[in-house]
Amino acid sequence: MYSISEVSKTLGVTTHTLRYYEKEKIIDPKRDENRIRSYSDEDVKWLRFVMKLKQTQMPIAQIREYARLFIEGEHTVGSRLKLLENHRKAIHDQIKTLKATEEMLDYKIGAYKEFIENR
């Protein structure tokens, strides 16, 4: 079991972020008799997944919905699958946009370099 500060350091996030995820019902760490949070290996694994979803711009509302569905149980597998497939499509759209932007930047950079070389 891990304290909130240990998880914070392990994952490279603030304790505020971990408390926020708890407030948003994305994570529900155990608490001891003194109400001190205690995170399991599974909690840390789940938080790593949550962080990947956030890094790929999944809105917190969708992450919260995914967490809710997971807690509800196996009968929500179809809904969870659809949510993740929709997010994967959004990621693919982001990748296309980034590639197109990179191509435009490469063109502009090349044009500027050529201009500088021919002065």
Side-chain angles (χ1 to χ4, degrees):
M1 300 302 277
Y2 309 96
S3 70
I4 192 169
S5 62
E6 290 171 324
V7 173
S8 170
K9 287 176 188 159
T10 298
L11 299 178
V13 297
T14 65
T15 57
H16 174 78
T17 297
L18 296 172
R19 288 185 192 99
Y20 173 73
Y21 288 160
E22 185 177 350
K23 179 180 148 255
E24 291 295 320
K25 300 188 182 333
I26 291 169
I27 186 82
D28 186 21
K30 302 274 188 258
R31 290 181 182 257
D32 66 16
E33 62 278 352
N34 296 319
R35 305 276 307 140
I36 295 176
R37 292 168 183 85
S38 182
Y39 294 84
S40 68
D41 287 330
E42 284 301 311
D43 290 334
V44 173
K45 182 178 172 184
W46 165 247
L47 286 165
R48 285 186 200 282
F49 180 64
V50 166
M51 291 170 51
K52 285 295 180 195
L53 295 176
K54 279 299 296 165
Q55 288 172 349
T56 57
Q57 309 303 311
M58 180 182 270
I60 203 74
Q62 285 183 350
I63 296 171
R64 186 175 48 241
E65 176 65 6
Y66 183 87
R68 183 190 67 76
L69 291 168
F70 181 80
I71 291 167
E72 274 190 37
E74 287 186 11
H75 71 280
T76 66
V77 167
S79 297
R80 285 184 268 160
L81 173 62
K82 185 167 180 61
L83 194 147
L84 292 178
E85 286 176 335
N86 288 340
H87 185 61
R88 182 177 59 191
K89 183 188 178 314
I91 290 170
H92 283 280
D93 291 346
Q94 288 175 10
I95 290 169
K96 285 180 190 174
T97 299
L98 289 170
K99 285 184 177 182
T101 303
E102 181 183 36
E103 288 172 10
M104 186 230 16
L105 288 172
D106 287 345
Y107 172 78
K108 282 297 213 184
I109 288 168
Y112 286 135
K113 284 182 176 181
E114 184 177 323
F115 177 79
I116 289 169
E117 289 172 5
N118 292 327
R119 285 168 103 198

